[in-house]
Amino acid sequence: MGMAAEVVDAVPIAVDGNALLRRIDLRVIPILFVVYLAAFLDRVNIANAITLGLPQDLHLDAKTNQTNVALTIFFVPYIIFEIPSNLLLRHFKPHVWLSGCVLLFGIVMICQGFVQNYSGLIATRFFLGLAEAGIFPGSFYLISFWYKREEAQQRFTVYWCSVLTASMFGGLLASAIANMDGIRGLSSWRWIFILEGIATVAVGFAAFFLVSDFPTDAKWLTEDEREWVVTRTAIGEKSDQSINARTLLHFFADVKNILAGVMYFSVVIPIYAFAYFAPTIVKTLGYSAVNTQLHTVPPTAAALALCLIMAYLSDRTGLRSPFIGFGFGLIISGLAILITVHHTFSAQYAGLCLVAMGAFSAGPIIICWYVMSLDGHVNRSVGSAWMIGFGNTGGIVATFAFLAKDAPRYHTGYSILLA
């Protein structure tokens, strides 16, 4: 994967460190990438469905913002169950818990393709949020135990790029599925949910066999290899440590943990605003449904390239904050364009690209910076879930930032993101 840098460790074990690190890269990262690609695709494909007639077919009331409520309800169980899910992942082991979550939200996604009214949509979105709660923080929690701090950013970013791949693939897939309208008597937006749900179920079954457990439990390591991994990461992995009320109070008494959640919150709002509303915003510029889906791809591709470049430079320099600051600078620049320019497509599209590039490139660096500074199972299980759980309350803000009544300028939405 081009990430196995030279390893020099003072570990008295007869292990080829470089070869083992390459094995870890191939054994740990790719399947988690595919798992979250499926999860994020299933979460945000409703944005494509909205442009393909979902609100009209389900008779959603624009005056009461029922479409926005359907987007928001996902985050209620998703946020609440982040920490409990990480604790269950530790108890049941990652390959069992993560694969079970994937299988469940794949089934829910298929069901969403057959909903007939607003109530059915709300119910499926709620259970989708419940099933997906553990995937993102659980994966970062797991990855953090396999790598040293100075080599983690590139791995975190490769995993994070599943979000961008899902966004690009979602737009391309939706443009293709749009041509299936009427097949078997089903609208094209229903086929998006059904086909992507079936693919997710297949991923769930594969994940049971392919997802790796923590280093102390991974059966594909020899004892020497296991000791090498645990020794070099030096993070105090004690899987028998318990988490209770006193542990949680001690964790939240540290203001740095609170600030980490706030930092991630600030970047999640533009991320979800782009994920959910980029198709809607592009459509207001005068494009057909199919062309709308295709025009959401270039900003995401640009963000993907910048993500990988910044991750490489961040690990090479050992710095995090300058790259986070650069990402936020791009967000502010893009939003300034979108707020002030209203009749020039190229400028508006460039602004959209800058927002996507800034938000998606800063996100993984914030997570890596924080999670890799935590020690042991207790802090990393709670810390990763806390940061991502609290940060995702930004998703609730984002879903109500862009209301139909504000189209096409969306001044309120852009102002919220800028703030």
Side-chain angles (χ1 to χ4, degrees):
M1 295 174 66
M3 299 184 296
E6 183 178 355
V7 180
V8 180
D9 295 282
V11 182
I13 301 174
V15 170
D16 184 341
N18 289 321
L20 179 55
L21 190 57
R22 286 191 290 269
R23 280 179 59 207
I24 292 171
D25 285 340
L26 293 173
R27 190 67 174 78
V28 175
I29 304 298
I31 184 59
L32 293 179
F33 180 99
V34 173
V35 162
Y36 198 64
L37 186 152
F40 197 78
L41 194 61
D42 286 355
R43 182 187 314 177
V44 302
N45 57 14
I46 191 172
N48 303 111
I50 288 171
T51 65
L52 294 175
L54 180 149
Q56 294 75 24
D57 288 355
L58 298 185
H59 307 292
L60 302 186
D61 188 353
K63 293 181 180 179
T64 57
N65 299 314
Q66 287 186 336
T67 299
N68 299 80
V69 173
L71 297 177
T72 302
I73 196 66
F74 169 92
F75 292 99
V76 176
Y78 186 83
I79 293 166
I80 292 173
F81 289 100
E82 294 272 3
I83 292 178
S85 180
N86 261 12
L87 301 182
L88 289 169
L89 177 142
R90 178 181 167 195
H91 176 74
F92 286 107
K93 296 187 179 180
H95 81 280
V96 174
W97 182 251
L98 292 179
S99 63
C101 290
V102 176
L103 187 61
L104 179 58
F105 69 69
I107 293 171
V108 173
M109 179 53 54
I110 295 172
C111 293
Q112 191 166 284
F114 295 97
V115 296
Q116 299 299 318
N117 50 43
Y118 175 63
S119 298
L121 181 62
I122 289 293
T124 54
R125 290 290 296 174
F126 179 88
F127 286 108
L128 191 67
L130 179 64
E132 286 196 24
I135 301 296
F136 203 46
S139 296
F140 280 121
Y141 173 33
L142 174 60
I143 293 170
S144 71
F145 278 89
W146 284 97
Y147 299 101
K148 295 196 299 183
R149 188 173 300 174
E150 60 268 25
E151 63 195 18
Q153 183 62 68
Q154 292 179 73
R155 278 78 179 183
F156 272 51
T157 299
V158 168
Y159 172 69
W160 171 275
C161 284
S162 61
V163 173
L164 294 160
T165 305
S167 298
M168 288 190 296
F169 185 64
L172 294 172
L173 187 60
S175 65
I177 296 177
N179 297 316
M180 295 180 64
D181 191 48
I183 294 179
R184 298 284 184 177
L186 298 175
S187 301
S188 56
W189 65 265
R190 294 186 183 277
W191 280 114
I192 288 177
F193 296 147
I194 294 168
L195 294 178
E196 292 180 9
I198 292 171
T200 299
V201 169
V203 170
F205 280 113
F208 181 82
F209 300 100
L210 298 178
V211 168
S212 177
D213 292 325
F214 292 105
T216 52
D217 301 316
K219 296 180 179 179
W220 55 276
L221 293 177
T222 66
E223 287 304 318
D224 281 352
E225 291 171 340
R226 193 185 326 280
E227 184 179 349
W228 184 85
V229 173
V230 173
T231 301
R232 73 190 294 271
T233 53
I235 52 178
E237 181 185 5
K238 296 180 180 179
S239 59
D240 59 343
Q241 287 180 286
S242 62
I243 298 178
N244 50 40
R246 178 175 294 182
T247 304
L248 294 175
L249 287 173
H250 182 268
F251 176 86
F252 287 110
D254 189 341
V255 69
K256 293 191 294 294
N257 292 323
I258 305 300
L259 292 176
V262 173
M263 185 182 294
Y264 187 59
F265 170 86
S266 66
V267 79
V268 161
I269 298 177
I271 285 174
Y272 275 115
F274 180 85
Y276 281 128
F277 296 107
T280 301
I281 293 169
V282 171
K283 192 174 183 180
T284 63
L285 300 177
Y287 285 97
S288 67
V290 173
N291 282 328
T292 291
Q293 314 306 328
L294 293 175
H295 273 82
T296 63
V297 176
T300 313
L304 175 63
L306 183 61
C307 265
L308 296 174
I309 293 170
M310 286 178 59
Y312 174 77
L313 293 176
S314 181
D315 269 351
R316 289 282 293 180
T317 61
L319 299 173
R320 304 290 187 236
S321 57
F323 297 99
I324 294 173
F326 179 73
F328 277 106
L330 291 179
I331 296 173
I332 293 170
S333 300
L335 290 172
I337 294 172
L338 291 168
I339 288 175
T340 56
V341 179
H342 304 296
H343 301 292
T344 306
F345 168 76
S346 58
Q348 289 175 277
Y349 196 63
L352 200 63
C353 288
L354 289 176
V355 171
M357 292 169 68
F360 283 111
S361 63
I365 299 179
I366 291 172
I367 294 174
C368 182
W369 190 16
Y370 174 63
V371 173
M372 295 306 293
S373 69
L374 301 173
D375 290 324
H377 267 288
V378 171
N379 285 328
R380 288 198 178 176
S381 63
V382 176
S384 59
W386 151 251
M387 168 183 258
I388 293 169
F390 179 79
N392 272 284
T393 59
I396 297 176
V397 176
T399 56
F400 280 98
F402 294 84
L403 303 177
K405 65 182 181 64
D406 295 328
R409 295 193 174 187
Y410 295 111
H411 186 272
T412 300
Y414 295 140
S415 298
I416 291 173
L417 266 62
L418 188 59

